[in-house]
Amino acid sequence: MATLTNLLVNGLATGMLVFLLAAGLTLIFGLMDVLNFGHGGLFAWGAYSGVWLFARTGSFILAIIGAIVTGLVLGLVMERIVIRPVYGNHVQQILVTLGVMLVLSELLKVVWGPNPISAPVPKALDGSWSLGGVIFIKYRLFIIGVGLLVLLGLHLLMNRTRLGLIVRAGVQNKEMVQALGIPIHRVFTGVFMLGAAMAALGGVLLAPYSGIVFTEMGMQFAILAFIVVVIGGMGNINGSALASVIVGLTGSLMAYYVPDLSLAVNMLLMVLVLLVKPSGLLGSKG
């Protein structure tokens, strides 16, 4: 029972990390109809900038803030220069954002070098608690808490605020929203920056969790995030959260009980879901 509980907590923590990256993709695609294959690069830059700031300041809070700012800035530049000219063209979006992914990965090597960098757990979050013979690692519980707070915040933003209403209306009829005097392009830029910031937040939280950051991590986790978005339903934040938890738990359990299938299980899950419900778990058929 203790082993199973630890596996479940580990799977939930992994799922929440993937959710932070997948939720940004869901926002950008579901609300803006943009296929952003460069999202993993934002994730990696958040991880590297956070680790660098933590090493310089010793403050994990400043590291998180710095990573989020990095994501916001890169998101702004990326949307204005790369994404805006290719709105409405999925083929060009795929090509240019894949190029951005490669450029961001190479820039990491230029700034921090090609070798992996260690990422220690902050002292305040290091260690564990023991409850009934079950060991709960503090940092994993912290990640789960952050993921739940982000999910709640996104739900309130999109369903209980004027901004969320404008964004949802802009997706349905952009011309009508513009006719009402609302600068919908600025709103979409803000949504893109929010998605980029969430990716960067996921990166800086992953670093101490894995203990290391490396330049290829963006592509690795971007693939996992796209799998989650497809399983959950394109454009559905709740679906991405559900899929992230399923992927995290399944990966954790399979890695322990059936290691040979641990690498393929995510693809198998995606294929199974698409065969049963092509729109995803919570996706709309339209």
Side-chain angles (χ1 to χ4, degrees), residues 25-92:
L25 275 176
T26 300
L27 281 173
I28 292 171
F29 178 80
L31 301 179
M32 302 171 60
D33 196 32
V34 172
L35 292 171
N36 181 20
F37 280 82
H39 207 66
L42 303 170
F43 179 82
W45 268 85
Y48 268 84
S49 60
V51 169
W52 180 81
L53 276 171
F54 183 56
R56 295 298 185 277
T57 65
S59 171
F60 194 56
I61 294 177
L62 289 178
I64 291 176
I65 294 173
I68 291 174
V69 171
T70 299
L72 290 172
V73 173
L74 289 176
L76 174 63
V77 173
M78 189 173 174
E79 196 277 337
R80 289 287 181 88
I81 298 177
V82 178
I83 301 298
R84 187 167 293 186
V86 294
Y87 274 129
N89 191 321
H90 287 166
V91 174
Q92 290 186 10

Side-chain angles (χ1 to χ4, degrees), residues 12 27 34 42 55 74 76 83 91 105-106 144 147 151 189 221 223 242 245 260 264 271 280:
L12 283 174
L27 281 173
V34 172
L42 303 170
L74 289 176
L76 174 63
I83 301 298
V91 174
S105 297
E106 292 303 313
I144 293 172
L151 175 59
T189 298
F221 280 88
I223 294 173
L242 176 60
V245 171
D260 292 339
V271 171

Side-chain angles (χ1 to χ4, degrees), residues 147-247:
L148 292 175
L149 286 175
V150 170
L151 175 59
L152 176 62
L154 286 175
H155 176 77
L156 294 176
L157 174 67
M158 298 310 301
N159 297 285
R160 300 294 180 85
T161 66
R162 182 174 180 268
L163 176 62
L165 178 63
I166 292 173
V167 170
R168 286 184 283 117
V171 173
Q172 297 297 322
N173 194 325
K174 181 171 64 176
E175 289 75 16
M176 180 61 70
V177 173
Q178 287 177 319
L180 295 174
I182 298 173
I184 193 63
H185 286 297
R186 292 184 183 179
V187 174
F188 281 177
T189 298
V191 171
F192 195 95
M193 292 172 65
L194 176 60
M198 291 177 60
L201 174 62
V204 70
L205 292 180
L206 171 76
Y209 180 76
S210 63
I212 195 171
V213 294
F214 51 97
T215 55
E216 293 80 15
M217 65 187 295
M219 182 63 73
Q220 175 181 326
F221 280 88
I223 294 173
L224 187 57
F226 271 102
I227 291 174
V228 164
V229 171
V230 171
I231 292 175
M234 302 295 279
N236 192 302
I237 294 174
N238 292 330
S240 291
L242 176 60
S244 297
V245 171
I246 293 174
V247 166

